[in-house]
Amino acid sequence: MPEKNAANQEPENLFTHLLDSEARKLLTGRGIDLIQQVGLDVIRRILLDILTGKNLRDSTEILTRSRITALNMVLTTFFLKGAISSPSFLENLPALASATLAKKRISKTERWLANWILGLTDKSFQNVLRDNQAQIENYRQLYVETCQDIIGKNIGTYGELSGTLKLGNEGEASIDWLFMVYLLNTIGAETLTIRGSEKSAYGKLFEKLVLGSLLSILGFTYEPSKKLGEGIFWLSAQEDKRESDATLLYQMGKGVRFDIGFIGRGNPEIALDKVTRYEREEELKGRRWYMATIIIVDRLGKDSRVVRMAKNVGGDVVQMSATFWPQEVAILLKEKLGYDHELVDLEPARIEDYLREKLQSVPLESFIKSLPVDDLVEQAEPQATPSEQMEEEDL
């Protein structure tokens, strides 16, 4: 088979050449792609799990595992296509990855793939290289030497590895220990990255969908234009740095702010920030409004001071770990606004079926349209700063 000279291509062209559009979508991890991939019925099932007190991580684990498995196939195909295209592909691959990382502006797809090829995640890029691009080449040389040294030391124990793998109609690639070590290191780094990033991606996606679904089930109307009215709610946009995640306008001059976060008992300071950021009154388009505050978190520790602090500022905290917590929200709305909804007095045995039925008519498509622009379109981006990457991987 004639050599396609892939090793001499620019890094971006090489990655584009070996990854089709569907493979690149898997790498971006955008919320809109997740919805399109699994469908609204699956999203509704996950929402029902959350509304009935189940853990978001448990509900989305199968989605994470599916994505990792699909990416494992993508990366194996990437290596095989590269090896078929050029006999020197494997030898040149670490240099191509380091050259990509040295570029000033690269897309997330390029950055992640280049990191993985060198056995790195974005976080290890910061911790190992300290975000110093001048260290990339030194690290590459050390990475290559280490892999070759480990293979040399162990080949006597395990024996030579040789053979070929055929990829569809693409042709056959020669396989040896270096091929397998590079591939497995890449897959290992990919798995760590995906598990870290999906925590944040699913959290941000489902925060908006959970709040929109909850308020719709409680009988309020979504108003994407954010105009004033009664019995309506809107969801915050990305640019609204201090705005609550959802704003409910019940009657003129009276409403509720909602903040939501899949925050566990290990992050009480985040919940504390949420309950102390708002005043009891707020001006909305020239009118003064009395605004109650409801903070929705995953769960709190047994002796958490968050609940007491929320009470001090006229707010309440609801834990999603509680079974049928939406009923608790309905009771709070009755106490604070005088709004009486049928969920308040519904027998516990009937609540799950009730929520399942109501979810069918929730306008999820409207909420999805309000997703931040950068979740809909992948853009070229600079290397992430430490604070940006901490937000992406650790939340």
Side-chain angles (χ1 to χ4, degrees):
M1 181 176 181
E3 182 177 331
K4 297 179 182 177
N5 202 28
N8 296 324
Q9 297 183 47
E10 290 295 320
E12 182 177 1
N13 292 335
L14 173 70
F15 293 154
T16 302
H17 171 65
L18 297 177
L19 292 173
D20 61 27
S21 61
E22 290 303 311
R24 289 194 293 274
K25 279 184 181 180
L26 277 171
L27 268 75
T28 61
R30 302 173 303 173
I32 192 66
D33 291 327
L34 166 68
I35 293 168
Q36 292 172 345
Q37 178 184 355
V38 303
L40 290 179
D41 287 342
V42 173
I43 298 297
R44 283 193 173 89
R45 286 202 297 272
I46 295 173
L47 287 170
L48 180 62
D49 284 348
I50 297 169
L51 292 174
T52 52
K54 296 180 179 66
N55 192 328
L56 171 66
R57 309 299 179 217
D58 293 341
S59 302
T60 57
E61 171 59 26
I62 189 61
L63 302 179
T64 300
R65 174 46 58 191
S66 296
R67 186 179 174 204
I68 289 173
T69 300
L71 273 172
N72 290 348
M73 295 179 68
V74 165
L75 293 175
T76 301
T77 301
F78 172 85
F79 270 73
L80 290 172
K81 280 187 175 181
I84 292 169
S85 298
S86 169
S88 59
F89 169 80
L90 203 64
E91 178 184 349
N92 294 331
L93 189 58
L96 290 168
S98 63
T100 297
L101 291 174
K103 293 161 59 179
K104 288 187 177 180
R105 295 189 66 83
I106 55 177
S107 68
K108 180 190 286 188
T109 301
E110 291 179 276
R111 189 181 81 233
W112 278 12
L113 184 56
N115 273 333
W116 298 344
I117 288 169
L118 295 174
L120 295 168
T121 64
D122 273 348
K123 195 153 195 175
S124 57
F125 180 89
Q126 296 160 23
N127 295 338
V128 175
L129 304 184
R130 298 182 178 179
D131 288 312
N132 185 349
Q133 294 192 349
Q135 295 297 319
I136 295 174
E137 181 59 22
N138 290 337
Y139 172 82
R140 179 197 66 80
Q141 293 177 6
L142 179 61
Y143 175 76
V144 171
E145 290 171 4
T146 300
C147 290
Q148 292 175 339
D149 182 54
I150 295 298
I151 291 171
K153 287 179 178 178
N154 288 278
I155 202 166
T157 302
Y158 302 112
E160 294 282 355
L161 180 68
S162 62
T164 60
L165 286 177
K166 185 175 184 295
L167 177 65
N169 296 321
E170 297 284 338
E172 293 186 347
S174 296
I175 306 300
D176 58 15
W177 277 120
L178 188 63
F179 181 99
M180 293 304 301
V181 166
Y182 280 178
L183 173 60
L184 293 174
N185 284 349
T186 301
I187 287 176
E190 164 249 312
T191 301
L192 290 173
T193 298
I194 297 304
R195 286 216 169 272
S197 70
E198 298 232 323
K199 283 193 237 178
S200 176
Y202 289 147
K204 291 174 182 177
L205 171 64
F206 281 99
E207 283 172 3
K208 183 162 297 198
L209 297 183
V210 167
L211 274 181
S213 298
L214 172 65
L215 293 175
S216 295
I217 289 171
L218 289 172
F220 302 105
T221 302
Y222 177 53
E223 179 48 69
S225 70
K226 299 187 179 181
K227 68 180 181 181
L228 298 184
E230 295 188 350
I232 65 168
F233 71 93
W234 63 64
L235 301 172
S236 67
Q238 185 188 33
E239 64 269 15
D240 302 321
K241 298 298 183 185
R242 299 296 292 178
E243 185 179 342
S244 53
D245 293 322
T247 301
L248 167 64
L249 305 182
Y250 176 53
Q251 295 172 335
M252 296 305 290
K254 187 187 295 186
V256 181
R257 288 169 301 221
F258 289 84
D259 249 30
I260 186 171
F262 291 94
I263 302 164
R265 58 189 176 89
N267 295 290
E269 68 283 353
I270 301 177
L272 283 170
D273 173 69
K274 288 180 177 293
V275 301
T276 57
R277 72 169 63 170
Y278 302 118
E279 301 293 335
R280 297 193 185 195
E281 291 189 6
E282 181 176 343
E283 184 171 313
L284 296 175
K285 299 184 180 180
R287 287 177 173 267
R288 297 297 297 176
W289 289 69
Y290 163 77
M291 299 296 288
T293 299
I294 296 178
I295 310 296
I296 301 174
V297 298
D298 187 14
R299 64 185 180 123
L300 298 172
K302 182 179 179 181
D303 299 317
S304 174
R305 58 194 173 114
V306 173
V307 174
R308 173 172 47 82
M309 292 190 67
K311 292 290 185 184
N312 291 340
V313 296
D316 292 271
V317 178
V318 174
Q319 299 183 61
M320 288 182 280
S321 57
T323 305
F324 308 136
W325 60 268
Q327 186 176 54
E328 184 179 348
V329 174
I331 292 171
L332 287 173
L333 293 181
K334 183 176 182 179
E335 293 174 355
K336 293 177 175 296
L337 304 177
Y339 176 67
D340 196 3
H341 186 268
E342 60 185 332
L343 188 56
V344 171
D345 299 314
L346 201 63
E347 297 175 7
R350 297 177 53 200
I351 292 178
E352 183 168 353
D353 287 340
Y354 177 86
L355 294 173
R356 180 183 292 106
E357 178 185 349
K358 292 297 183 181
L359 269 171
Q360 297 307 309
S361 57
V362 166
L364 292 181
E365 295 91 342
S366 297
F367 307 151
I368 291 166
K369 288 178 182 177
S370 68
L371 288 171
V373 172
D374 69 346
D375 199 30
L376 303 176
V377 181
E378 182 191 15
Q379 299 175 348
E381 56 186 55
Q383 288 286 350
T385 65
S387 60
E388 290 170 339
Q389 189 56 35
M390 184 177 296
E391 178 182 355
E392 178 177 286
E393 293 195 353
D394 287 347
L395 287 185

